[in-house]
Amino acid sequence: MNVRTRATTWALGLTALLALVVVVSAGIGHVTIPPRTVALILLDAIPVPVGVSLSGAVVLPMLGSVPAPSVELGSLVSLSVPETAQIIVVSVRLPRILLAALVGFALATAGVVMQGFFRNPMADPSIIGVSSGAAVGAVATIVLGLSVPFGLQGAAFGSAIVTAFVVYMLATEGGRTPVATLLLAGVAVQTFLGAVISFLLLQSGESLRQVVFWLMGHLSGATWDEVVMVTLVLPLPFAVLLAHTRDLNVLLLGEEDAHALGIEVERTKQLLLATASIVTATAVAVSGVIGFVGLVVPHMIRLVVGPDHRILLPASALAGASFLVVTDTIARSGAAEVPVGVVTAALGAPFFLYLLRTREVRSP
Amino acid sequence: MSGQRPDSDAGASDPFSASDPAVELDDVSVSLGGQRILEGISVDIGKLRSSAHQTESGGGDGDDGTFVGLIGPNGAGKTTLLRTLNGALTPDSGTVRVGGEDIHAVSSKAASRLVATVPQTTSVTFDFPVRELVRMGRTPHRSRFDGWSEADEEAVEKAMRRTSVESLADRPVTEISGGERQRVLIARALAQETPVLLLDEPTASLDINHQVRTLELVDDLVGDGTTAVAAIHDLNLAAHYCDALILVADGRILSAGDPTTVLSESNLRDAFDAEAVVSRHPVTGSVYVTALPSSSSSADATGRVHVVGGGGTAARALHVLSAAGYALSAGALNEGDTDAEAARRVGADLVTVPPYAPVDDAARSAVESRVEAADVTVVADVEVGDGNLPNLEAAAAADYLVLVEERPFSERNYAGDDGCAVYERLREHGHVVEPSELLSVVGELACEAFGD
């Protein structure tokens, strides 16, 4: 089977899995709603063409006036679902579930890219300080009561990108950015920002609870606005990364080899780093620091599909989406809501250790 | 594959290099981390080869490329030179032209359509299948959104056939042997379809069988018109396979050209700061370098040594002892035996018998007199039959006897019980040594002989 077929097969399979997970998750909560009802509500919420009428007309140079089809949008099933169930699913659960899917998608994507880029199995999306940067922005906004454009999310996103850029500049000398230097600069900056966050926490007073909640990673209170925002931002960087999967494969061989095979190494590294940082910052800005998704999901998928990024990247992204929807469902369905970051780490860490002990985890 | 030479004069006067993709370095200096590694390197690789061919074979068909060996001590700048040739390092000054193109002025992609590099195989941690790795060699020929073309597939198939790795195609690279991996990396470079191939220590971590197979393969490729430049540690492999050598020391080219010219004893002393004997290999006829232990670095040993050998087993001993300064005799050997040639070359007093003839009584008494005159007698790891058994019997009379053993005697005894009996006698009062211990043991015994 060639790579394109395999990639498509995996993508379709995992998309189907994601759809299933979303439907099941939307039924789980204080009020249990059967999957069939959920499916009907979801179908109802999706605008679909219900009829085609030939009302309009266009004039073509050769053929004269031709009736043009116009599509009427409406609901496929305008039907018998209880209104309360509809409100619960569409206004309460769905934004949170979709945001979880988007954040999981983004974190797993960035995780794959960072692991490949650093050729290091411990690399994760925030390895160059993106998450710490976002946290400082968010915590400062909460504690100091700043008002910034685009609110908390805007502050987190902005400070995340600035941090990534600073780390990159710190590690760059004479036009070259050695990966090992980048890694160490990332660790140093993260440690420094950790101190800043601790200091801010001491000053937080009343807002301590809000700050801690943000820091732990959360998806509760997700809004349709956030879903729309992330949906608008993600596709372009994801497409860029998808277009560079072959380069990522070649970079795995080492920079010297990659250069010998015609890759403009430094330029490609800049592009990958910038794009992966935007993807990470987008996720962190809306959900706080959710650990382990970006680390564990790529490893799990690599075990199944192998190291080829042309398959690994889309497969991990979709699996990451399902993974976070599932863990967030667990986080919210207990007696008391637990931050989702706690659940991903509690599930992810033991699983990762299991893989490690069975020596299944390989370097990317 | 025909490179355009900017220097059309040279192309016209030299019919062979016209088809060569010229690799020209003009006054190239390179620094790494502020330290100057290469200083003023100028060499025209096309010219090296034509001069080599004129002396070696006096010609050749115009399709041949050049196999250039890059030799020199550790840290001399061999790898840096290769990395400058493929564009990974940008020189402080000077230009590198491949087929007329300044390799540092063109894009990385264009450069890797001119020069392919076979890296050292030491660290391979990703488990791509072999075929996928070879396919990556097509990277410089594809644009980002290009599909996989017919030409790509053909190049990959051809490269895998050429390197005999088709049978490994679906195995993960992590699960094949070092020698196989070396061939896969060569296949990847071949898939790049470049006129110039660079190899960084292609034989470094391979056993001798794979070393030879790898270099034979490169030699074949050169026969098809590729120009290969390889950093090679082993001087004798380099001398045997390369059309020309470049000896680098302290960031400069000490000597470049024909292997016999480059591998002179004085060049080796300057470059490696070590004493070495340069001779012809008795079997292959290539230039052969034998490094000497530093304790005997000056050829001031005195004494007389008789060497019994045959079939090339004594060539090394003869070279080493001669270089150390001993007066030598050898025999009896058949005329035309490689050891006889070696003995002549080092000026040994040689007892011979006609080709294929056994050692007769006259020859035996001649050997006995040599053994008696010698301070030490050395018996090489020679195969013993009825024909040369008299040599061993004569050696038994020596006061000081050294037996070089690489194989057990039983494996090289064709003289039955007689052979065993004679050799047993030799072992009784001889010193059994490994080839590497020969010189020091002979030295000690020679001293004792003087004491007597």
Side-chain angles (χ1 to χ4, degrees), chain B residues 2-54:
Chain B
S2 65
Q4 292 163 339
R5 293 173 136 269
D7 179 1
S8 58
D9 263 352
S13 66
D14 174 9
F16 304 120
S17 65
S19 69
D20 253 349
V23 180
E24 291 164 294
L25 288 89
D26 184 22
D27 200 21
V28 172
S29 297
V30 182
S31 300
L32 273 180
Q35 206 184 343
R36 191 50 73 86
I37 307 291
L38 295 176
E39 182 80 58
I41 301 274
S42 295
V43 64
D44 183 337
I45 282 171
K47 288 219 181 100
L48 284 181
R49 174 247 181 188
S50 50
S51 69
H53 268 239
Q54 274 150 18

Side-chain angles (χ1 to χ4, degrees), chain B residues 218-238:
Chain B
V218 176
D219 201 34
D220 271 7
L221 298 171
V222 168
D224 297 347
T226 305
T227 290
V229 181
I232 300 178
H233 229 84
D234 188 314
L235 298 178
N236 294 317
L237 284 175

